[in-house]
Amino acid sequence: MATYLDFEQKIKNIQEEIELATIRNDMRACEILKSSLEKEIGRVYDNLSDYQKLQLARHPDRPYSIDYIHLILSSPIEIHGDRHFRDDGAIVAYMGYIKDEKTIIIAEEKGRGTKNKVMRNFGMPNPEGYRKALRVAKMAEKFGIPLLMFIDTPGAYPGIEAEERGQSEAIARNLQEFSTLKIPTIAIVIGEGGSGGALALGVADRLAMMRYSVFSVISPEGCAAILWNDSTKVESATNALKITPEALKDANLIDDIIEEPSIGAHRDIQGAAKSIEDYFLCALEQIRSNEDYLATRYNKIMAYGRFEERLGSISEVSHTQEEA
């Protein structure tokens, strides 16, 4: 059964009417209803609030990393373990081909169904997950294989055991090592990119976001709890955090926005996978055409957080005060 959010209810109603008209073999009614559906989809998805985009990023039917891997990667071989502690189910790694391009994919996986979610720790990696990701990335570098990373996590696991095994060190190590990998690297936020858990796979030549994904320093729920101690302020926190692809692109914190099917990736997984595949191959070609892509990556990373002081405005105010 498909899940529909509050703002998708009218879409659901029209789709149900189309199914009934199809059963009755009423083709004229089907055409009219399909036209109405297309208009309603445009009305809803062209006017989404930031909070509604957050809901879509967390939609239970939204494709997860393994869904995309099965669709775009041929001849997949899974890579396990960090060679130190254990194999973390929250991070998966595969080698295979995207079209004719040999590729290694490292991805965060939330899991579908209760048993699988528990096994994947709900997409919250432990330190061994990030060390597994680094081991696989170094293997990709050794053999000159481009790296594609899928980001989809509420954040790194905050448990005591994770801290005991060096959670912050593992994330920091990835930030450092991924910034100097001598292979093309592309990272895509496919759903929810939460805090350092997302950053650990987010250092790349290209960092892109799916149209209905989010990327934040803290969850809106955590932000509302800290700032207002009020869970009803989640929507206000979402607006204040500027976590949408459009806001982050305007701030030069991401490189690209990947378009999804008009009805969202959760309604058209095949179309969303095709968008990711096309983006990866196009971005890879562009990175390879730049002989000094390592320097370009370095300059991009060093530009994060850069701001300009408007000294002119300050001096004008000072001058006015002196005259007074």
Side-chain angles (χ1 to χ4, degrees):
M1 292 290 292
T3 303
Y4 290 84
L5 301 173
D6 291 344
F7 57 88
E8 295 181 302
Q9 286 305 309
K10 193 168 181 181
I11 293 174
K12 175 186 177 184
N13 294 338
I14 297 174
Q15 287 179 327
E16 288 176 347
E17 289 178 18
I18 290 173
E19 290 175 6
L20 290 173
T22 302
I23 292 172
R24 297 194 307 267
N25 201 28
D26 189 343
M27 294 299 105
R28 186 171 183 278
C30 278
E31 290 301 318
I32 294 172
L33 287 168
K34 285 178 181 178
S35 177
S36 298
L37 178 62
E38 188 174 336
K39 290 178 182 177
E40 181 63 17
I41 289 170
R43 185 191 68 79
V44 170
Y45 287 95
D46 290 345
N47 298 283
L48 292 171
S49 68
D50 288 357
Y51 183 62
Q52 287 171 333
K53 290 176 183 177
L54 173 66
Q55 290 177 290
L56 284 177
R58 295 172 171 175
H59 198 291
D61 296 336
R62 190 170 181 83
Y64 291 154
S65 296
I66 287 180
D67 297 322
Y68 285 129
I69 289 170
H70 288 332
L71 287 171
I72 69 173
L73 197 69
S74 61
S75 304
I77 299 173
E78 187 169 5
I79 306 168
H80 293 278
D82 70 335
R83 299 295 186 267
H84 289 282
F85 184 64
R86 67 174 182 182
D87 186 33
D88 186 358
I91 287 188
V92 297
Y94 285 82
M95 178 188 295
Y97 291 87
I98 297 179
K99 290 289 180 69
D100 295 325
E101 189 66 56
K102 187 179 292 185
T103 307
I104 286 181
I105 298 178
I106 301 172
E108 290 162 326
E109 172 62 32
K110 289 182 174 180
R112 207 174 296 281
T114 302
K115 185 176 180 180
N116 196 252
K117 284 180 181 292
V118 171
M119 190 267 285
R120 303 288 182 190
N121 201 30
F122 298 86
M124 295 183 290
N126 280 277
E128 52 270 21
Y130 297 118
R131 292 177 180 130
K132 169 184 175 179
L134 180 57
R135 179 181 80 82
V136 174
K138 286 294 186 180
M139 183 179 74
E141 181 183 45
K142 179 178 180 180
F143 294 103
I145 302 173
L147 189 61
L148 173 60
M149 294 172 282
F150 290 147
I151 298 169
D152 190 17
T153 178
Y157 183 58
I160 293 175
E161 300 88 351
E163 296 298 333
E164 288 175 342
R165 296 196 297 275
Q167 183 73 289
S168 57
E169 185 276 337
I171 292 172
R173 174 78 61 174
N174 277 23
L175 296 178
Q176 178 185 18
E177 297 286 352
F178 277 61
S179 67
T180 58
L181 287 174
K182 296 178 179 62
I183 50 172
T185 56
I186 297 165
I188 302 174
V189 183
I190 62 170
E192 186 177 11
S195 194
L199 286 176
L201 296 185
V203 178
D205 294 302
R206 292 291 180 86
L207 174 58
M209 293 178 67
M210 299 290 285
R211 173 63 69 184
Y212 304 129
S213 65
V214 295
F215 201 179
S216 61
V217 68
I218 187 174
S219 70
E221 291 82 2
C223 178
I226 291 170
L227 293 184
W228 298 292
N229 194 28
D230 185 352
S231 60
T232 65
K233 298 283 189 179
V234 173
E235 189 165 353
S236 298
T238 303
N239 294 332
L241 284 168
K242 304 296 182 186
I243 62 179
T244 63
E246 295 82 3
L248 295 169
K249 183 75 166 61
D250 288 343
N252 294 320
L253 294 174
I254 66 169
D255 299 300
D256 299 297
I257 300 173
I258 301 175
E259 291 297 337
E260 298 187 22
S262 59
I263 200 166
H266 59 297
R267 301 275 180 255
D268 184 359
I269 297 176
Q270 295 279 354
K274 183 66 167 58
S275 296
I276 288 176
E277 181 182 279
D278 291 345
Y279 174 80
F280 170 74
L281 294 172
C282 180
L284 183 60
E285 183 179 352
Q286 292 172 354
I287 294 167
R288 283 174 168 165
S289 67
N290 179 6
E291 294 182 359
D292 207 9
Y293 68 86
L294 291 176
T296 302
R297 184 197 303 163
Y298 173 82
N299 292 331
K300 183 184 78 165
I301 294 169
M302 295 305 293
Y304 286 148
R306 180 178 295 169
F307 65 94
E308 295 180 3
E309 292 184 285
R310 297 182 179 178
L311 297 177
S313 300
I314 295 172
S315 57
E316 285 175 10
V317 172
S318 301
H319 184 64
T320 303
Q321 288 175 339
E322 289 174 4
E323 287 180 345

